[in-house]
Structure formats: structure tokens, C-alpha cells
Amino acid sequence: MRRYFVISLALIMVFCAASCTKEEPKAEEAKKVRIGVLGKSVHPYWDVVRLGMEDAARKLNVDAEFYVPPTEDIPKQIEILETWIAQGFDGISFAPSDPNSVIPVIKKATDAGIYCISQDTDAPDSARLCYIGTSNYTAGKIAGKKMAEILNGKGEVAICTGSITAMNSLERIRGFKDAVVDYPDIKIVEPVLVDNENTAKAVELAGTALLNNPDLDAFFGVYAFNGPSAAKAVRAAGKAGKVHIVAFDTTDEHLFMIDDGLIDAAIGQRQYFMGYLSVVALRDMVQAGKEATMMLMPKTEDGDVIIDTGVDVVTKDNLADYVKMLDKWGVKHDFKP
Ligand code: BGC
């Protein structure tokens, strides 16, 4: 259902964008809308956000630029935002590694007349106009319930993440813990393992957790590279099939590992739409106006504007169906069911 909601919303927005262009000056007189989409780290997860951005930019004739730092890097993100402000971009969609440190630069962009929205991970206290992405608290809860089901309500779980400042990570962990609190025999091993989106470090931390906690039953991988990194450590420790993994995201690596039984379940985000809808929303704000565009978007009870792109729980049982959905979006994958 949600999938159809998101897709129809996209269609409505595209329709609005298309209809608004009727009143515009002729193509040769019109200035091309220029937007930037900023992600968090180099990873196949972000390639899909970029794909969504590029598809929408092509269809709507928007000049769109994409940037991700090599790993989580707050100063680099701020530097890129400053560059896009200096270059006079019309709109910016950003995924902040730290929601608080971007507040001043997002204010600066807004004061300069640049429309700013967040995607993937929110910065609700900034001047961003809306958030497009996963409802991370709910998704974390879904992961927690799945974990409890896999462990039959009993076991030791370690949590691994790439950030303890980004809101998506914190919300997923909060949702996960709130879900497993209903199962008194599930114990979370503290502290949370943090690797700043450095894959080698993630594998090393997971390996150390296995050594220090010989009775460990499972890992919860909060970010895209965490599940596969934990799976590599589990395999190296000879504990494949004994130590379970609930991961976020569905890159090729995840799909192969689900098929191999190394990852039990993955919470797939529909990040294609984070990129796609960022372009549609910003383009409409520039051409149809901020108010008119925001009127079309879903609101929370307190009036905040949030487009929930939805999640999919992927296991070995529905892997083939999930891959068909990726095919529909044009997301390439080497994994064949
Ligand atoms: C998160 C991103 C993160 C990516 C790569 C995803 O689950 O939503 O914020 O950058 O994983 O680790």
C-alpha cells in the first residue's frame, strides 16, 4: 500500500511540476534549475540515491549535482554546502551526519534564498523545509521486532553503527531498543560499536565483540555496511548460522548474504525515492513556489512536512519479489534469485 502511496505522490508532484511549466518563459529564456544533493559516505547505498536524483533531473530538465564524502565527515559536508551557496544553487537536499552542526549553514543558505530540504537523515531544528526519507524510529522498531522473532525472544545482541550523531542512526537504535524491551530475555550488549562508516573498522569491532562476548547471539547492523561487516566477522569466527544478523539496507552484498543465510533479515529503505523526490520537490519549489509545493506534501500533526518513503523487510522468503521491485525502479544488481 505504502509503495503505491509513495509512487502516486511522486506522480502528483511530477504532474504539478509539468503543469507549472506551462506558464514559464520559452525554454531558451528559462534558466535551468540548479540543485545539489548531499549524502554521507561513499557506499552503494548512496549510488541508488544518486540514481533517483539523476532519473528525476533528466525527466525534469534540472541541473543536479551529487556529492558524498569518502566516509562520515561533518566539516566536509559543511564545506560542500558553503560551496553550493557561493555558487548560487537554487535548492539543496542534504543528509546531515550531525543535525546540529549544519544549523548555521542551512540558515545561511535559506537567507540567501536557497530552498533546503533534508533527506535520508533529518535535521528538524534547522531551517529545512521538509524531510524526505525513512521514518527511522519506526524502522528501528520493525528491526527490533524481527530480531525478537528470529531469537525466539531470548539472546544477547550487539548493535553496530556508523554514527552516534546522525539522527537516523540514533532513531533506529532508539526504536530497536524500544521494541526489544518487551522481551526481558533479550540483552543488549553495551556499548554500541561505532565505526564512522569505516568498513575495515566495522569488521574489526564486530570480531572483537564476538571474542569478548562468547555467548553473543546476534548483531543489529544500523547502517548499510554494518550488516555485511558483522557477517564477515561471523564467518571468520566460524559462527555462520549461529550468530544471527538483522541489517539495514539491501545492496548487492546484502542480497547475496541473505541468500547465503548469513543475514537473516534486512530492512530495505527506498532510497531511490529520496533522490528522486528531492529533485521533484526542489524543482517545484523554485518554479511553482514554496507554499504551493508544500501544500501537496503530507503533514504531521504539528504541521511538519515529511514524506515517508517507506521500508521493506527482506528475508530469504521474499528475496525474489524484492529484486523484482528493484528492477522496476531500474536499480542494477548482480544478485539473481
Ligand atoms: C543510512 C545512511 C548511511 C548508509 C551507508 C544507510 O542505512 O541511511 O545514512 O550513510 O547507510 O552506511
Side-chain angles (χ1 to χ4, degrees), residues 173-207:
I173 295 172
R174 190 167 71 86
F176 185 87
K177 287 185 171 172
D178 282 357
V180 299
V181 98
D182 292 341
Y183 301 86
D185 291 333
I186 293 188
K187 185 185 154 227
I188 306 278
V189 174
E190 298 287 356
V192 168
L193 312 172
V194 190
D195 50 58
N196 292 321
E197 301 213 21
N198 177 327
T199 308
K201 193 167 174 203
V203 178
E204 186 193 315
L205 286 174

Side-chain angles (χ1 to χ4, degrees), residues 40-41 45-46 120 168 172 197 222-225 249 269:
K40 286 167 71 235
S41 62
Y45 168 88
W46 285 104
D120 176 67
N168 58 356
R172 286 173 202 177
E197 301 213 21
V222 175
Y223 273 176
F225 63 95
D249 300 305
Q269 303 187 72

Side-chain angles (χ1 to χ4, degrees), residues 21-42:
T21 53
K22 283 184 190 152
E23 307 300 326
E24 288 168 16
K26 289 194 186 87
E28 60 272 22
E29 297 161 19
K31 182 178 154 276
K32 220 171 165 186
V33 173
R34 198 168 174 214
I35 70 152
V37 176
L38 176 65
K40 286 167 71 235
S41 62
V42 171

Side-chain angles (χ1 to χ4, degrees), residues 203-229:
V203 178
E204 186 193 315
L205 286 174
T208 310
L210 286 166
L211 281 178
N212 292 345
N213 305 279
D215 295 330
L216 194 72
D217 295 290
F219 283 101
F220 169 41
V222 175
Y223 273 176
F225 63 95
N226 287 122
S229 300

